[in-house]
Amino acid sequence: MFTSVLMIEKPLTSVDVEFVTTLHGDEGMSFIVLMQPRGDQADVLLRAIDDVALGELKDAAHEGDEPEGKAARGPAEQALEVSLQALRKAGCEAVGQVVEDHPLDKLKAVVDESKADEVIVLTAPHYVEEFFHRDWASRARHKVGVPVLKLFAHSE
C-alpha cells in the first residue's frame, strides 16, 4: 500500500480524485488528507493578486467576502468529508483532518507518524508565494523528508 499525505485547501473535484488516485498505476493507495481552511495562512492581498494574475478580476474583488478563521471551520470540515468520500469511492483508503494552526508542522508530524511515502500538495496557483518559494510545497520540501509533489487543483 502506497501512502500519500494530501494537503488541500478546497474540496477535491472528480478530476483531482482521478489524477491523484492514478499517479502510481494499479498500486493500492492510502491517503491522509490535511485540509487547510482559509485564515491566517492565506493573506487576502496575496490571494487577490493571484486572482488578478489569473485574469479572475471578479474573484479578486470578492476575496474579502470569503469566510476565514473560525468561520471557515465548518466549510472546511464539509470540504474534507466530500473529499474523503470521493477518494473512498475511487477505491482508496482515506482519513483526514482539518488543520488550522501551523500546517507544515502538522504535515511533518503526520508524515513521520504514518511513515508516508510522499506528500502531494494540491492547491490553486499562488503565484506570489511560489515566486518567493513561500508556498506549501516549496516549504514542505525542506521539512518532511519524503518526496513532495505539487499539483494544481481543478475546478468544476
Side-chain angles (χ1 to χ4, degrees), residues 2 6 12 17 30 54-55 57 61 65 68 78 84 93 95 98 112 114 126 128-129 135 144 150:
F2 196 88
L6 178 60
L12 296 175
V17 170
S30 172
L54 290 168
L57 299 178
D65 299 341
E68 294 190 9
Q78 291 175 335
L84 293 174
E93 294 179 14
V95 296
V98 173
D112 290 346
S114 67
H126 297 292
V128 174
E129 292 172 346
D135 58 299
V144 297
K150 179 178 184 163

Side-chain angles (χ1 to χ4, degrees), residues 33-44:
V33 181
L34 300 180
M35 173 69 192
Q36 171 67 48
R38 296 171 74 118
D40 294 338
Q41 299 297 320
D43 182 73
V44 175

Side-chain angles (χ1 to χ4, degrees), residues 26-58:
D26 293 334
E27 189 167 356
M29 294 287 298
S30 172
F31 290 95
I32 302 166
V33 181
L34 300 180
M35 173 69 192
Q36 171 67 48
R38 296 171 74 118
D40 294 338
Q41 299 297 320
D43 182 73
V44 175
L45 177 60
L46 292 178
R47 289 194 313 256
I49 291 170
D50 286 337
D51 290 337
V52 170
L54 290 168
E56 298 170 354
L57 299 178
K58 287 183 182 180

Side-chain angles (χ1 to χ4, degrees), residues 10-17 19 122-123 151-156:
K10 65 177 196 160
L12 296 175
T13 67
S14 59
V15 175
D16 294 332
V17 170
F19 196 34
L122 185 71
T123 68
L151 302 173
F152 291 121
H154 295 82
S155 54
E156 290 184 317

